Amino acid sequence: MKRLTPMPSLLALLMAAALWTPLPAMAGPGHDHGDAPAAATGNGPSRQPDGSVFLPKPAQRQLGVRTLVVDAGQHAKAFELAGTVVMDPNAGGKVQALLAGRLEAGPKGLPGVGQAVRKGEVLAYVVPTAGAIDRSNQLAQQAELRAARDLAARRVARLTELADTVPRKDIEAAESELQSLTQRLGAVGAGLATRDALVAPVSGVIASANAVAGQVVDARELVFEVVDPSRLRIEALAYDPAQAQGVAGATLAVGGQRVPLRFLGAARSLREQALPLQFAGDSTVLGTLALGQPVRVFVQSTNKVDGVQVPAAALLRNPANQTIVWVKESPERFAPRVVTAVPLDGTSVAVTSGLQPGDRVATQGATLINQVR
């Protein structure tokens, strides 16, 4: 009788199957194609749960973040006024037509805007235009005066020939009448052919020109405006008359530049419910502005306010529309601070609450910090 072989156990079968199961292929060093997601490092800019921003040093350099250590002090109270660029009344003027008539070019032609002119230079002529009836009356009067003058001239000639028999007073009366008629005839003729010369009142440049050859203008119509760019002024309107009291100084915000102004005086009568204030400043900067250009004027008063001075660019808004600044609390951590501020000179403000002396405030790149989420 043949002997049977015993059956393999279940454990032996499972071990054999495990040995024949293919293992996953693993790439060698340097041959990983990035199929599996890389682990997050956590070193990028991020907004923290408490509202602060984590900003690594490399990110700070890329964003151009700059900070400033603030100090407390007393600063002059300031208020912002709307102003315009006006001309100095002694260095600018308007050229208006005295008579209604037709424009003709001057010796150098009609000047254009920006052209330099000198005081007394003839810019244009206005040829008076009279109605048909008025001109006819003037021509008739001229003809009558011409005839009377001819008669007077012949009478003077006859009396001169009879000088031995005619009294001297008759000859003198005839000569006086002839002279009077000649002058009257000349005046009427000049009235028909006269031209009103429009001259530059000051030396400067043409700020505005409303002249075209052959144009008909009315009396008192503005034709040219001449201004000296080196002597412009700033006029600000104060709707509170108390603001005109105790003015210590003022500054003009031109882009990111701060231009100091000199207070000249305030008017004593309201114009459109506002009190005009006059300022003068650096001619180099004011000369780049246009006449009538709107500007912002920051007027400093003699009253003082306690606060911390920071650049106006450091003030931002949070989602709740509150005014904030970003304070650097650690080398890579910035925290928002809700503050209250008053303007100083157009480029800086005085923070009256929310900051302490010694805080390091972000002055450049603060807008980018505020956008980190």
Side-chain angles (χ1 to χ4, degrees):
M1 185 174 179
K2 190 175 181 179
R3 192 175 180 179
L4 299 176
T5 304
M7 297 292 292
S9 65
L10 179 62
L11 179 61
L13 293 175
L14 293 176
M15 292 179 62
L19 291 174
W20 285 99
T21 302
L23 297 176
M26 301 296 292
H31 296 277
D32 186 11
H33 296 284
D35 297 332
T41 61
N43 292 330
S46 61
R47 183 71 66 106
Q48 304 300 311
D50 60 353
S52 62
V53 170
F54 172 73
L55 198 64
K57 285 294 184 179
Q60 294 182 29
R61 289 190 290 268
Q62 291 177 354
L63 300 180
V65 176
R66 297 293 183 271
T67 58
L68 175 68
V69 179
V70 296
D71 294 324
Q74 285 191 338
H75 310 279
K77 282 186 176 181
F79 48 89
E80 181 180 350
L81 297 179
T84 54
V85 181
V86 297
M87 68 173 65
D88 186 341
N90 298 315
K94 299 180 179 181
V95 181
Q96 296 174 281
L98 297 178
L99 305 172
R102 177 172 45 83
L103 283 181
E104 288 186 356
K108 298 181 181 180
L110 292 174
V113 292
Q115 180 176 336
V117 295
R118 289 189 290 181
K119 182 178 180 180
E121 182 180 342
V122 177
L123 306 179
Y125 293 102
V126 177
V127 179
T129 55
I133 296 178
D134 294 338
R135 187 170 181 83
S136 299
N137 293 336
Q138 290 178 343
L139 292 174
Q141 184 180 6
Q142 187 180 28
E144 292 177 359
L145 292 174
R146 188 179 292 111
R149 185 199 60 180
D150 294 341
L151 290 175
R154 288 195 292 268
R155 184 168 181 269
V156 169
R158 288 195 304 267
L159 293 177
T160 304
E161 294 176 356
L162 302 174
D164 296 337
T165 59
V166 177
R168 183 62 185 171
K169 62 178 182 178
D170 294 341
I171 298 176
E172 293 177 353
E175 291 175 348
S176 178
E177 182 181 3
L178 176 60
Q179 183 179 3
S180 175
L181 290 172
T182 303
Q183 292 178 353
R184 291 172 60 187
L185 183 61
V188 173
L192 288 173
T194 187
R195 296 188 304 177
D196 181 24
L198 302 181
V199 299
V202 295
S203 297
V205 298
I206 301 295
S208 64
N210 306 311
V212 179
Q215 176 184 353
V216 177
V217 296
D218 295 329
R220 304 180 63 182
E221 182 175 343
L222 180 63
V223 182
F224 298 104
E225 201 168 14
V226 184
V227 63
D228 186 355
S230 63
R231 297 177 61 182
L232 293 177
R233 292 183 179 181
I234 302 297
E235 182 180 82
L237 298 179
Y239 288 90
D240 184 4
Q243 294 177 337
Q245 307 298 326
V247 176
T251 56
L252 176 66
V254 180
Q257 188 177 5
R258 181 179 60 183
V259 182
L261 298 177
R262 183 175 67 259
F263 180 59
L264 299 179
R268 289 296 178 264
S269 61
L270 295 179
R271 183 201 304 167
E272 298 179 356
Q273 306 303 319
L275 196 65
L277 307 178
Q278 286 273 343
F279 299 91
D282 184 10
S283 59
T284 304
V285 179
L286 295 184
T288 61
L289 303 178
L291 196 64
Q293 178 178 344
V295 293
R296 294 187 305 156
V297 180
F298 294 86
V299 180
Q300 288 87 30
S301 64
T302 54
N303 299 326
K304 300 292 183 178
V305 60
D306 295 330
V308 176
Q309 183 175 353
V310 298
L315 299 184
L316 299 170
R317 294 283 182 176
N318 62 5
N321 202 30
Q322 295 174 310
T323 303
I324 63 170
V325 296
W326 286 95
V327 177
K328 190 174 186 179
E329 295 186 344
S330 65
E332 296 183 340
R333 182 174 178 272
F334 292 83
R337 297 276 186 88
V338 178
V339 298
T340 57
V342 295
L344 291 180
D345 53 11
T347 59
S348 59
V349 297
V351 176
T352 57
S353 65
L355 287 179
Q356 298 295 330
D359 287 342
R360 187 176 291 274
V361 177
T363 57
Q364 295 183 18
T367 304
L368 301 176
I369 298 175
N370 201 42
Q371 296 175 1
V372 175
R373 293 293 181 265

